[in-house]
Amino acid sequence: MNANLYALFASKFPQDREACCIETHDGKYYSWNDLDRATAKIANLLLSLGLPPATRIAAQVEKSPEALMLYLATLRAGYVYLPLNTAYRADEIAYFIGNAEPAVVVCSPHNFGWVSQIAFKSGARHVFTLSEQRNGSLLERATHHADQCEAAVSQPDDLAAILYTSGTTGRSKGAMLSHGNLAANAKTLHAYWHWQHGDVLLHALPLFHVHGLFVASHGALLSGSKMIFLPKFDSAEVVRRLPQATIFMGVPTYYVRLLTEPAFDRAVCANVRLFVSGSAPLLLDTFNDFIERSGHTILERYGMSETNMLTSNPYLGKRVGGSVGLPLPGVSVRVMDEHGHACASDEIGAIQVKGANVFQGYWRMPEKTAEEFTEDGYFITGDVGKFDRDGYLWIVGRSKDLIISGGYNVYPKEIEAVLDEMEGVAESAVVGVPHADYGEAVLAIVVAKPGADLSADAMIAALKQKIANFKVPKHIVFVDELPRNTMGKVQKNILREQYGA
Ligand code: MLC
Ligand code: AMP
């Protein structure tokens, strides 16, 4: 049997292929036939390039139906999709492209100059452009290709996508996800969240992370449901569109912002059957305020780039605020103490997971991959938590040094390295502090070199040229020295306490 993920989706398209598959914020309609034909054309264009199997197709493009089609076409042609956050700057893109060595890079027309330079230098053979307004060389070239294309024959372990993510240390690592990994999770969530034909997904998430690209889109594709595509999250626009939707998904910041909209009330949500939150902790206050305002209990779930979704509060049973719910069917989740024994209920330990959803390893990093798995094949998530007596999982912290700001991951080490290279900086420490809107915000604590005259504003402006905006510290504090323990390690807990407010 063909394990190709596109073939799976195509087998679930609704009978009425002229029905609406995607509606955009500015009133464009795409039918299932449109989706099928356009992905065939793009897949045929990719196939015409004579690329070897498992070639990476990298994309740093604004959100649009065509951006989703590029992903689906890559699957259909049997290549490997590498989505990149649109906020990334030149140094970041150079790292990902240099590391993944894609043969094809697709970028926004206005970034063509610098992206193509990086791409060709790294050995890419083709650079296409795609704008959110449906133009650019990708579609111009694809137009000349046939609108039918048999999905490539894929094995379950064949790679479908590489997502760059965290790393407890050092630079980002490419998590390799196979057709089998993605299909297993998509099918599980389809059943667990009761996706059905006739659902309408209000899609406001970006298309370059697990949440928006896989969890949200795969659910709609597997159930033949329509998506309403917003180019980005805008709380007023979501309130305007929610009456037409049955499902909405977002990071906690989306829910915090929806609650600030005066027009957000029960009537707006009358048609919605499911609100899903994930990617970062949902505060209990937000969970409770949302029930009061909308009459809906948000379903919180937990996942990672390396694993897709791991746990979920139940669709029909009790949704517990503050908990990430129960292990999904087919996913084994355990909490282990430092001696490698399973923790008892309510005992805190390391969260480890196993299942058909768990990735194939980090791209070209076999040692790193080996380090992150236990001898009996469990992936060590780097999250710390506990199971309660009812079997619900609670995440209480992270053993990895990671800040999650508005659902985006920021690695303190990466920001510290950039800060430490700046003129006049002796050393720095970057921590996450509570933030009402983003959940956590990035704060930098900097020690200046003797005689250096540093300005926080100038440093922030300089950082914005070098790294993605969401990684740039919201504040920089100057100190004479950083607190250290007897081993000489910076005590970040002290900094978090001191500057958290
Ligand atoms: C934007 N900015 C952020 C930010 N997003 N700063 C910190 N954290 C963020 N998340 C910057 C902007 O660049 C801008 O900088 C300034 O903050 C104000 O912008 P904004 O108008 O507030 O930003 P906005 O465009 O509204 O974006 C905020 C957001 C967005 C929350 C809507 O970040 C978002 O959509 N986040 C979702 C991320 C996501 O999909 N995560 C899923 C990961 S998958 P300046 O300097 O220009 O003013 C995963 C696995 C799983 O984790 O389990 O799901
Ligand atoms: P990423 O590597 O971007 O996929 O981020 C995955 C990380 O996000 C996980 O390891 C968790 O730390 C965090 N995360 C995802 N969902 C939740 C959630 N519901 N609650 C708390 N943390 C979450």
Side-chain angles (χ1 to χ4, degrees):
M1 213 186 83
N2 189 0
N4 185 287
L5 188 59
Y6 183 82
L8 172 68
F9 295 144
S11 72
K12 305 290 179 185
F13 287 176
Q15 269 182 349
D16 178 7
R17 297 290 181 99
E18 284 306 321
C20 183
C21 164
I22 301 178
E23 180 186 335
T24 62
H25 69 294
D26 54 355
K28 293 190 192 87
Y29 284 79
Y30 295 74
S31 68
W32 293 89
N33 270 336
D34 293 334
L35 184 83
D36 190 46
R37 289 183 193 131
T39 54
K41 281 173 175 279
I42 302 173
N44 282 325
L45 164 62
L46 296 175
L47 287 166
S48 75
L49 303 174
L51 308 167
T55 289
R56 277 77 58 209
I57 312 290
Q60 191 197 28
V61 291
E62 297 298 333
K63 182 174 175 183
S64 68
E66 288 75 16
L68 181 69
M69 289 168 183
L70 172 60
Y71 160 57
L72 296 174
T74 303
L75 296 176
R76 194 168 179 173
Y79 297 129
V80 183
Y81 194 59
L82 171 63
L84 296 165
N85 193 322
T86 47
Y88 292 146
R89 314 298 300 234
D91 286 357
E92 294 159 310
I93 292 292
Y95 170 72
F96 296 123
I97 291 185
N99 190 257
E101 297 186 318
V104 177
V105 176
V106 185
C107 66
S108 299
H110 60 268
N111 291 337
F112 179 78
W114 63 269
V115 174
S116 61
Q117 249 183 30
I118 292 170
F120 289 132
K121 221 164 138 186
S122 299
R125 287 192 259 163
H126 310 273
V127 181
F128 296 113
T129 57
L130 174 64
S131 85
E132 64 272 42
Q133 299 305 331
R134 280 205 284 192
N135 48 42
S137 58
L138 181 81
L139 300 180
E140 281 160 22
R141 291 280 300 277
T143 312
H144 303 294
H145 288 268
D147 65 0
Q148 290 182 10
C149 175
E150 198 64 41
V153 176
S154 308
Q155 301 304 315
D157 285 351
D158 287 348
L159 293 193
I162 297 180
L163 297 195
Y164 275 84
T165 180
S166 68
T168 38
T169 52
R171 306 213 62 167
S172 280
K173 301 173 292 202
M176 301 189 288
L177 293 153
S178 68
H179 287 261
N181 293 145
L182 297 177
N185 212 240
K187 286 183 200 163
T188 300
L189 294 179
H190 177 258
Y192 205 75
W193 292 345
H194 292 217
W195 276 97
Q196 53 209 305
H197 179 59
D199 269 326
V200 178
L201 170 73
L202 181 54
H203 194 305
L205 285 154
L207 279 179
F208 36 69
H209 285 305
V210 173
H211 203 157
L213 185 63
F214 299 154
V215 183
S217 309
H218 288 182
L221 291 167
L222 263 194
S223 56
S225 298
K226 168 176 157 177
M227 292 183 253
I228 301 175
F229 252 44
L230 303 185
K232 59 175 282 208
F233 176 80
D234 170 336
S235 48
E237 186 62 11
V238 169
V239 169
R240 202 172 73 77
R241 285 302 203 142
L242 268 178
Q244 290 127 43
T246 64
I247 301 190
F248 179 79
M249 296 187 190
V251 299
T253 300
Y254 292 12
Y255 292 103
V256 169
R257 291 190 185 180
L258 275 177
L259 287 168
T260 65
E261 286 294 325
F264 181 69
D265 61 13
R266 286 175 187 242
V268 163
C269 307
N271 215 16
V272 180
R273 68 169 182 85
L274 182 61
F275 285 98
V276 176
S277 175
S279 311
L282 180 71
L283 294 184
L284 195 54
D285 279 352
T286 313
F287 178 84
N288 287 330
D289 291 352
F290 202 85
I291 296 177
E292 199 163 303
R293 277 282 284 286
S294 70
H296 283 270
T297 306
I298 297 172
L299 179 154
E300 185 171 8
R301 63 30 167 209
Y302 156 56
M304 293 181 75
S305 300
E306 289 93 334
T307 63
N308 276 279
M309 297 305 100
L310 295 162
T311 70
S312 168
N313 272 276
Y315 183 70
L316 293 174
K318 189 168 165 49
R319 298 181 195 164
V320 179
S323 160
V324 294
L326 307 160
L328 284 164
V331 183
S332 172
V333 181
R334 66 186 190 187
V335 174
M336 305 297 277
D337 67 18
E338 66 269 31
H339 308 296
H341 300 126
C343 292
S345 301
D346 291 327
E347 221 179 286
I348 292 171
I351 300 173
Q352 303 180 354
V353 301
K354 196 178 195 174
N357 53 307
V358 176
F359 73 137
Q360 309 291 303
Y362 294 111
W363 173 254
R364 291 181 181 162
M365 287 187 186
E367 295 89 11
K368 264 273 156 237
T369 304
E371 274 171 30
E372 310 278 345
F373 280 87
T374 62
E375 272 176 19
D376 57 348
Y378 276 76
F379 174 61
I380 304 163
T381 62
D383 292 309
V384 174
K386 61 173 188 180
F387 276 114
D388 68 16
R389 279 152 209 271
D390 298 323
Y392 283 67
L393 185 69
W394 298 70
I395 297 176
V396 301
R398 301 176 201 126
S399 58
K400 50 194 174 191
D401 193 11
L402 164 69
I403 300 166
I404 306 185
S405 171
Y408 286 140
N409 291 2
V410 182
Y411 307 100
K413 272 205 166 60
E414 182 191 344
I415 317 304
E416 287 159 6
V418 179
L419 282 166
D420 292 351
E421 273 185 8
M422 294 176 97
E423 211 178 305
V425 173
E427 59 173 348
S428 63
V430 167
V431 294
V433 291
H435 190 277
D437 184 35
Y438 292 126
E440 277 184 291
V442 180
L443 173 78
I445 297 101
V446 168
V447 179
K449 281 184 179 156
D453 183 19
L454 294 177
S455 131
D457 287 346
M459 287 176 75
I460 286 174
L463 285 169
K464 283 185 179 174
Q465 301 305 313
K466 278 197 87 65
I467 52 175
N469 258 1
F470 66 87
K471 299 179 187 172
V472 174
K474 298 291 178 208
H475 292 287
I476 297 181
V477 177
F478 296 101
V479 296
D480 291 336
E481 60 179 342
L482 296 173
R484 289 180 189 278
N485 64 15
T486 46
M487 313 283 287
K489 198 168 175 233
V490 176
Q491 290 169 302
K492 290 200 169 175
N493 52 331
I494 294 184
L495 293 172
R496 269 185 223 107
E497 265 167 42
Q498 209 169 341
Y499 298 105

